[in-house]
Amino acid sequence: MPLTATDNHAVAQAVHDIGSALWFGGTVMGVAGVNKSGSDLRDGIDRIRVAESAWGRFGPVQWLGIGATLLAGAQLARVGGRRMALQKGFGTVGAVKAGLAVAGAAASAYAAYCGSRIGRLAEEAHRRGDTVEVRDATIPTSRTPSEIARWQRRQRLTQYVVPVLAGANIACGSYLVQSYRMGATGRGVLRRLLPD
């Protein structure tokens, strides 16, 4: 049975929403759980290793969610092209949503890079026989080597930014889905035809 344009839209919306949920939920769990879980371990190097291992295992799944969000979002934009032209506000929110998705993907990549830097620096310090003391994967102590502490602060900040961007992307998607209701469509078209 061939897919209709409506079916294609529904599939793209489902893929987009599942990808966004995976991306948002996984990053929140990582910040709230993975990064903190290492604090139960005795040695700072192990606190970093546990978090790095967990984030490394989640990485491919997270990028699957990000990819689904971006690709399905592009499909939804293509399908809603006429609506962007006719319905006031739809195109603006769509552009903001696309910008949030790209910024979130870039922030996710930077957070992963920060994590790899922390892991590499911690392993180098450990091989030299230096003590690597950290509170958890992203929180240094006063005795954490300065370069590791700098990358921890960067990663912690970026890891808080990622779910904010992913969540804002989801919120924009909800707005756009609600814009498909008949009343919202009619108001949007009238606002386009009869500007303030």
Side-chain angles (χ1 to χ4, degrees):
M1 180 165 98
L3 290 176
T4 66
T6 304
D7 295 330
N8 283 332
H9 182 91
V11 169
Q13 189 68 56
V15 169
H16 176 274
D17 291 351
I18 291 167
S20 297
L22 178 61
W23 181 19
F24 175 79
T27 55
V28 170
M29 187 280 300
V31 169
V34 169
N35 290 348
K36 307 291 180 214
S37 65
S39 62
D40 297 333
L41 301 173
R42 189 172 55 100
D43 296 328
I45 188 69
D46 290 335
R47 293 172 180 176
I48 291 172
R49 284 172 177 163
V50 163
E52 185 179 23
S53 174
W55 278 107
R57 291 168 194 270
F58 176 63
V61 178
Q62 180 182 31
W63 283 105
L64 179 66
I66 292 169
T69 300
L70 294 172
L71 292 174
Q75 172 64 12
L76 290 170
R78 189 186 69 71
V79 169
R82 242 182 303 157
R83 185 173 294 274
M84 285 184 200
L86 292 175
Q87 191 172 341
K88 187 169 183 175
F90 194 88
T92 302
V93 174
V96 168
K97 183 181 178 317
L100 288 166
V102 170
S108 298
Y110 185 68
Y113 176 73
C114 290
S116 70
R117 292 287 297 158
I118 293 165
R120 192 173 320 127
L121 291 167
E123 292 298 340
E124 289 170 4
H126 183 68
R127 277 194 297 274
R128 288 192 307 266
D130 298 342
T131 301
V132 178
E133 188 176 313
V134 295
R135 187 168 298 140
D136 67 30
T138 61
I139 300 178
T141 69
S142 58
R143 294 172 46 184
T144 302
S146 61
E147 195 170 1
I148 293 174
R150 183 169 41 252
W151 283 103
Q152 282 184 304
R153 284 188 291 273
R154 290 174 183 173
Q155 185 182 42
R156 186 170 66 249
L157 175 64
T158 309
Q159 283 182 338
Y160 279 104
V161 167
V162 170
V164 169
L165 294 171
N169 182 52
I170 291 169
C172 286
S174 296
Y175 174 86
L176 293 174
V177 167
Q178 289 301 308
S179 296
Y180 276 84
R181 294 182 330 174
M182 189 171 293
T185 300
R187 282 190 303 276
V189 171
L190 280 175
R191 284 174 49 217
R192 174 73 70 199
L193 296 173
L194 306 169
D196 299 334

